[in-house]
Amino acid sequence: LAKTTQPISMDSYEGQEVNITCSHNNIATNDYITWYQQFPSQGPRFIIQGYKTKVTNEVASLFIPADRKSSTLSLPRVSLSDTAVYYCLVGGYFNAGGTSYGKLTFGQGTILTVHP
Amino acid sequence: NAGVTQTPKFQVLKTGQSMTLQCAQDMNHNSMYWYRQDPGMGLRLIYYSASEGTTDKGEVPNGYNVSRLNKREFSLRLESAAPSQTSVYFCASSERSSGVTEAFFGQGTRLTVV
């Protein structure tokens, strides 16, 4: 499984755009890039997933350059409630018995603190 | 819609005691997982079940056993608890839909072994 490197912590202010970059130099051809958010005393929550180029959903954007050795999670106009730990995961999905599953590996994540 | 439900939420064990952590999902997902999270750390995969009837070891399986009881339920057993197993345990399930595989996590079981 590809190892990921992301900043340990970041600070921002309400209303700003936040970009968290993740390095994954040994990403494999069949690996996807997925980001999760975790609040204290809760399980992680899925944010976004992509394979290449740009993916956007209602909460975030994910930018992946052509070489796929890094990715950037972009959170537009953050609020205090976005203070959390953000995990970048890289891994493939395997087909077994007609289903698809992933052996997700979590690194230490990035602690994002949003200030008033 | 309950999602992934874990029981119990809290547990204190004495060294050497055994217990089973229960997990159930109501989303009809094929794949289920057990993770542990130590303070200030990311989650580490203990065991996973790609589909009903199969289980495999993750990164840190020593000291644990699992049972995929049916499609809904995936239990984690500690046969002889040790202080090193003090952690928060998360169960998750996942399915691939519309080109995205999203994992859904339970609220966790906070286990202390004294």
Side-chain angles (χ1 to χ4, degrees), chain B residues 68-80:
Chain B
R68 184 74 183 266
L69 303 171
N70 47 55
K71 192 171 185 179
R72 289 187 65 247
E73 299 171 287
F74 189 37
S75 63
L76 178 72
R77 182 160 178 85
L78 287 70
E79 291 292 350
S80 179

Side-chain angles (χ1 to χ4, degrees), chain B residues 64-95:
Chain B
Y64 305 95
N65 285 301
V66 291
S67 295
R68 184 74 183 266
L69 303 171
N70 47 55
K71 192 171 185 179
R72 289 187 65 247
E73 299 171 287
F74 189 37
S75 63
L76 178 72
R77 182 160 178 85
L78 287 70
E79 291 292 350
S80 179
S84 61
Q85 294 178 303
T86 293
S87 189
V88 180
Y89 290 84
F90 289 101
C91 176
S93 69
S94 73
E95 196 68 55

Side-chain angles (χ1 to χ4, degrees), chain A residues 7-64:
Chain A
I8 293 174
S9 64
M10 294 182 66
D11 289 275
S12 184
Y13 293 88
E14 283 190 294
Q16 289 188 334
E17 178 184 73
V18 170
N19 296 308
I20 307 174
T21 297
C22 179
S23 297
H24 29 80
N25 291 319
N26 59 339
I27 188 169
T29 302
N30 65 338
D31 284 347
Y32 284 78
I33 299 157
T34 312
W35 286 80
Y36 282 81
Q37 174 193 56
Q38 187 179 27
F39 298 112
S41 301
Q42 294 187 25
R45 186 175 69 175
F46 175 92
I47 301 174
I48 197 165
Q49 183 178 87
Y51 184 80
K52 61 181 179 181
T53 64
K54 176 183 174 182
V55 179
T56 297
N57 62 21
E58 62 275 9
V59 298
S61 295
L62 178 60
F63 299 92
I64 306 168

Side-chain angles (χ1 to χ4, degrees), chain A residues 32 34 36 38 41-46 49 87 89 93 96-109, chain B residues 30-31 33 35 37 40-43 45 48 50-51 57 59 90 94-96 99-103 105-107 110:
Chain A
Y32 284 78
T34 312
Y36 282 81
Q38 187 179 27
S41 301
Q42 294 187 25
R45 186 175 69 175
F46 175 92
Q49 183 178 87
Y87 294 98
L89 285 73
Y93 292 93
T99 189
S100 176
Y101 68 98
K103 291 168 60 176
L104 304 179
T105 299
F106 288 76
Q108 286 198 307
Chain B
N30 281 300
S31 304
Y33 314 81
Y35 289 87
Q37 185 173 34
M41 305 293 288
L43 284 75
L45 182 63
Y48 67 96
S51 60
K57 296 177 181 179
E59 300 172 75
F90 289 101
S94 73
E95 196 68 55
R96 190 154 185 85
V100 173
T101 300
E102 179 176 348
F105 287 80
Q107 288 296 298
R110 190 171 298 274

